[in-house]
Amino acid sequence: MRPRLRSSLLWGLVGAMAFVVLVQGYDLAVARLPVGLPARLALAAVVGAVVASAAYATEHRLHRRT
């Protein structure tokens, strides 16, 4: 696996996990959300895919500047 692809996939995983943690924290601290666990995990997968895509698209630009 190419390093750029692996890095973007790991950033996607970090983004998905951060989303799950934030939703869970909001659920515990503020209010019970009417959304179930499968919907939360599906939305976390979408967030992870968006983060991975953004990381893949922009990583080469950031790497060139450093």
Side-chain angles (χ1 to χ4, degrees):
M1 184 180 295
R2 296 183 318 191
R4 183 175 167 197
L5 179 62
R6 181 177 22 174
S7 174
S8 67
L9 290 176
L10 288 173
W11 276 114
L13 181 63
V14 167
M17 291 298 204
F19 177 79
V20 168
V21 167
L22 287 173
V23 168
Q24 193 67 18
Y26 179 81
D27 195 22
L28 290 172
V30 178
R32 295 291 298 169
L33 296 174
V35 179
L37 182 63
R40 291 180 191 186
L41 292 178
L43 192 54
V46 170
V47 169
V50 169
V51 170
S53 299
Y56 187 80
T58 60
E59 183 180 9
H60 69 283
R61 295 179 190 167
L62 296 174
H63 185 65
R64 249 189 274 164
R65 291 185 184 183
T66 60

